[in-house]
């Protein structure tokens, strides 16, 4: 006989938080969002902690090295997508680990033989007006000059004018030597009234560029998530097929934590993957697993040794798994159930295995709900895809802009390993769509506003930490009619 759970499968939008007493010290500045990301024993400190409970999805359209740097700067973590070759994923990880705050690897490079037309096109594409002119046009070639917006006049200069005729040539440039500190570079920038300082090696090859604005940006980020060598922390996705080759390459590149990326993680392939990693690396390599939506799946992966477990099947914005296969569970019900299992597991074994609510976050308060329901952190795709820092193109759309966002189970991504059930490889049908999301500007700004909302809601609930929120929270199920009451209603909105 079928075992039927009669409790409806609920989503975040079906709940609201009830306020509790806010004491005077419970203000936004005092809220601490630190949260564990890897398993730890009772009484011990977790080895890896996030400064904000955010991770970006293991997706081609979301998490590359740029997103990873931007998010780690803000205290969260990206998992670089694994639906790419082992070499290119490892290279992305390497770029994050090599990144030095304020030292930018130039993405705007030309040769002296390029023309003003090329300069304008590159500026349009990257949005950057300072360009390094190198011998071969690469980001690490011999530095021959620099072009900025002050070197040409669009109204007077012919478009076929060669870069070598208007660039500031190398002999007139002020440069910094490789090894210089950010504060020394900044002093040179200020003393010489520069906007950018190229940093070169002993052969005058370009290594980095330091921009005046980046220095202050770096100082504005006390939340940055850094390893013990002050490098940004980064995660990387893996699959249960090529892990014996992929994992060593990612570990060698410096990945701080791995995560098996799968639409359905309650499988022997995941247990095998975790066990192989743990036996090869003696627990020095951390690996998350998933996704699951109920207790049994959690317990299975926790017993196999997963460092954290992801929750969510079918709730992602680009996901059509439920329509295609009829499996899944409302995200709120899944988080509540797995959180209970995590707490029971902790009581029984003394081991705390953090859980991550993955997908289905539509409004900012859904993040607070997920945390209050027991998630230690969340994973978001759509949310991060809209920012400048995501890997996709910004496209004009009507009166505004959009960015592209496609599922790992779409034909476009063709991430067969994510949907692999061990048999014949290959995605036989799509489980995701190709879409646009509204352009959301700079990650720093959007995330800053979301964090402020989460913290102020936590204050309304009388909680200064995520654990306090989970212990004290009271939630209410909303009726469909009260949902209407929750938005602006019965007024005529201006400017519409
Ligand atoms: P979102 O934040 O609602 O956009 O959901 C992102 C999550 O959806 C990811 O972290 C994945 O777990 C999941 N996901 C990514 N691609 C697909 C897909 O093609 N089909 C189903 N789920 C997907």
């Amino acid at each position: 006989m079928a075992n039927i759970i009669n409790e409806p499968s609920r989503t975040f939008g079906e709940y609201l938080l009830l306020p509790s007493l806010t004491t005077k010290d419970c203000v936004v500045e005092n809220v601490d969002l630190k949260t564990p990301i890897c398993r730890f024993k009772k009484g011990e400190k977790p080895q890896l902690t996030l400064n904000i409970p955010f991770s970006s999805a293991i997706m081609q359209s979301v998490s590359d090295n740029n997103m990873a740097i931007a998010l780690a700067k803000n205290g969260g973590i990206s998992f670089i997508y694994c639906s790419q070759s082992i070499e290119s994923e490892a290279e992305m990880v390497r770029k994050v680990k090599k990144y030095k705050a304020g030292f930018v690897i130039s993405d705007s490079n030309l040769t002296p033989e390029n023309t003003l037309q090329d300069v304008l096109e590159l500026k349009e594409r990257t949005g950057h007006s300072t360009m390094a002119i190198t011998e071969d046009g690469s980001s690490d070639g011999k530095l021959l000059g620099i072009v900025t917006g002050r070197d040409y006049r669009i109204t007077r200069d012919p478009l076929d004018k060669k870069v070598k005729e208007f660039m500031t040539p190398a002999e007139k440039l002020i440069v910094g030597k490789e090894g210089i500190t950010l504060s020394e570079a900044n002093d040179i920038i200020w003393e010489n009234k520069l906007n950018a300082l190229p940093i070169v090696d002993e052969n005058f090859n370009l290594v980095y560029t330091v921009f005046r604005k980046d220095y202050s940006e770096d100082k504005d980020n006390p939340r940055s998530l850094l390893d013990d060598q002050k490098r940004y922390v980064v995660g990387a996705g893996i699959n249960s097929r090529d892990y014996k080759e992929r994992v060593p390459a990612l570990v060698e590149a410096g990945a701080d934590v791995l995560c098996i990326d799968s639409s359905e993680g309650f499988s022997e392939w995941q247990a095998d993957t975790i066990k192989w990693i743990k036996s090869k690396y003696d627990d020095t390599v951390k690996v998350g697993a998933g996704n699951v939506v109920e207790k049994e799946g959690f317990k299975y992966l926790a017993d196999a040794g997963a460092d954290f477990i992801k929750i969510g099947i079918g709730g992602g914005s680009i996901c059509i798994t439920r329509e295609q296969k009829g499996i899944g569970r409302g995200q709120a019900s899944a988080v509540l159930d797995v959180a209970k299992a995590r707490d029971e597991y902790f009581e029984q074994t003394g081991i705390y295995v953090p859980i991550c609510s993955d997908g289905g976050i539509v409004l900012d308060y859904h993040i607070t709900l997920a945390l209050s329901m027991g998630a230690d952190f969340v994973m978001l795709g759509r949310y991060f895809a809209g920012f400048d820092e995501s890997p996709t193109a910004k496209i004009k759309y009507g009166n505004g802009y959009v960015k592209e966002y496609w599922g790992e189970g779409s034909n476009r991504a063709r991430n067969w390993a994510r949907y692999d059930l061990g048999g014949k490889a290959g995605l036989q049908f799509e489980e995701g769509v190709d879409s646009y999301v509204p352009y959301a500007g700079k990650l720093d700004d959007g995330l800053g506003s979301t964090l402020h909302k989460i913290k102020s809601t936590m204050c309304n609930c009388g909680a200064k930490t995520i654990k306090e929120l989970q212990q004290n929270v009271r939630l209410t199920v909303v009726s469909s009619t009260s949902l209407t009451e929750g938005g602006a209603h019965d007024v005529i909105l201006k400017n519409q």
Side-chain angles (χ1 to χ4, degrees), residues 184-361:
E184 288 163 351
N186 193 52
D187 286 344
I188 300 177
I189 287 174
W190 279 88
E191 278 156 21
N192 297 284
K193 299 191 175 149
L194 305 173
N195 274 328
L197 179 73
I199 310 293
V200 294
D201 66 13
E202 70 274 17
N203 300 319
F204 221 76
N205 292 322
L206 181 64
V207 187
Y208 300 109
T209 307
V210 176
F211 292 92
R212 178 190 286 254
K213 65 176 184 338
D214 279 335
Y215 185 68
S216 57
E217 267 175 21
D218 177 52
K219 281 186 131 181
D220 289 340
N221 278 297
R223 284 198 299 270
S224 296
L225 192 65
L226 303 170
D227 66 14
D228 50 12
Q229 294 172 52
K230 300 241 175 297
R231 301 174 304 179
Y232 285 127
V233 168
V234 61
I238 59 169
N239 61 65
S240 54
R241 277 264 173 170
D242 64 13
Y243 59 90
K244 291 184 186 164
E245 293 84 47
R246 193 173 288 268
V247 171
L250 295 171
V251 170
E252 209 265 319
D256 295 276
V257 52
L258 307 174
C259 182
I260 309 173
D261 179 37
S262 171
S263 67
E264 204 278 290
F266 191 2
S267 76
E268 291 185 339
W269 293 285
Q270 291 229 351
D272 286 353
T273 308
I274 299 165
K275 285 176 186 159
W276 182 85
I277 294 172
K278 293 294 172 186
S279 70
K280 183 168 167 68
Y281 294 100
D282 256 5
D283 201 34
T284 53
V285 171
K286 306 291 176 194
V287 58
N291 285 7
V292 300
V293 287
E294 36 63 72
K295 286 184 177 160
E296 288 77 9
F298 169 87
K299 176 131 189 345
Y300 182 78
L301 293 176
D303 282 342
D307 282 291
F308 67 87
I309 291 168
K310 271 198 307 125
I311 308 161
I313 297 180
S317 56
I318 30 53
C319 176
I320 51 171
T321 298
R322 290 188 202 161
E323 280 173 16
Q324 293 278 53
K325 294 179 22 187
I327 63 159
R329 191 174 197 187
Q331 190 64 10
S333 299
V335 172
L336 286 164
D337 201 19
V338 175
K340 207 160 154 221
R342 187 255 338 263
D343 293 343
E344 283 166 12
Y345 195 82
F346 184 51
E347 239 166 57
Q348 286 158 12
T349 64
I351 298 169
Y352 187 91
V353 183
I355 54 174
C356 167
S357 174
D358 174 17
I361 299 287

Side-chain angles (χ1 to χ4, degrees), residues 154 312 481:
I154 305 174
T481 40

Side-chain angles (χ1 to χ4, degrees), residues 55-59 61-62 261-263 291 310-322 357-362 379-385 405-411 413 415 418-419 427 430-433 437:
S55 65
S56 70
I58 315 169
M59 297 174 72
S61 49
V62 181
D261 179 37
S262 171
S263 67
N291 285 7
K310 271 198 307 125
I311 308 161
I313 297 180
S317 56
I318 30 53
C319 176
I320 51 171
T321 298
R322 290 188 202 161
S357 174
D358 174 17
I361 299 287
V362 181
M379 177 170 273
L380 309 117
R382 188 193 57 85
Y383 176 89
F384 285 115
Y405 179 44
W406 61 92
E408 288 295 296
S410 66
N411 272 337
N415 181 358
R418 186 170 199 272
Y419 301 88
L427 200 63
E430 285 188 288
E431 288 199 32
V433 298
V437 292

Side-chain angles (χ1 to χ4, degrees), residues 332-492:
S333 299
V335 172
L336 286 164
D337 201 19
V338 175
K340 207 160 154 221
R342 187 255 338 263
D343 293 343
E344 283 166 12
Y345 195 82
F346 184 51
E347 239 166 57
Q348 286 158 12
T349 64
I351 298 169
Y352 187 91
V353 183
I355 54 174
C356 167
S357 174
D358 174 17
I361 299 287
V362 181
L363 300 168
D364 285 350
Y365 82 86
H366 293 169
I367 300 171
T368 324
L369 277 172
L371 298 172
S372 74
M373 290 174 177
D376 294 281
F377 60 106
V378 293
M379 177 170 273
L380 309 117
R382 188 193 57 85
Y383 176 89
F384 285 115
F387 291 124
D388 279 325
E389 292 81 354
S390 78
T392 69
K394 175 179 155 191
I395 298 166
K396 186 103 184 102
Y397 192 82
N399 293 330
Y401 288 95
V402 291
K403 292 202 71 167
E404 289 187 291
Y405 179 44
W406 61 92
E408 288 295 296
S410 66
N411 272 337
R412 180 162 180 184
R414 298 218 60 82
N415 181 358
W416 59 265
R418 186 170 199 272
Y419 301 88
D420 184 22
L421 288 175
K424 203 171 119 237
L427 200 63
Q428 308 288 327
F429 52 89
E430 285 188 288
E431 288 199 32
V433 298
D434 190 357
S435 67
Y436 296 121
V437 292
Y439 169 61
K442 277 182 71 134
L443 181 139
D444 283 358
D445 301 336
L447 184 57
S449 145
T450 302
L451 288 172
H452 197 85
K453 278 191 220 168
I454 295 172
K455 289 179 178 178
S456 60
T457 310
M458 286 172 65
C459 291
N460 294 141
C461 296
K464 284 184 290 189
T465 63
I466 295 171
K467 270 291 156 246
E468 275 177 28
L469 178 71
Q470 291 167 353
Q471 278 154 8
N472 305 335
V473 79
R474 291 174 304 149
L475 297 163
T476 179
V477 176
V478 295
S479 71
S480 51
T481 40
S482 74
L483 280 177
T484 316
E485 187 187 60
H489 62 91
D490 300 306
V491 292
I492 298 164

Side-chain angles (χ1 to χ4, degrees), residues 25-80:
D25 62 332
C26 199
V27 288
V28 166
E29 297 70 45
N30 291 345
V31 174
D32 182 354
L33 291 177
K34 278 207 186 66
T35 191
I37 180 175
C38 288
R39 66 162 61 207
F40 59 95
K41 289 202 184 105
K42 200 173 187 164
E44 286 181 2
K45 270 192 151 184
Q47 280 177 30
L48 192 55
T49 307
L50 301 179
N51 291 335
I52 60 168
F54 282 66
S55 65
S56 70
I58 315 169
M59 297 174 72
Q60 294 172 3
S61 49
V62 181
S63 298
D64 67 353
N65 45 298
N66 287 327
M67 176 58 70
I69 290 166
L71 185 50
K73 224 180 222 180
N74 278 283
I77 193 167
S78 289
F79 287 88
I80 306 277

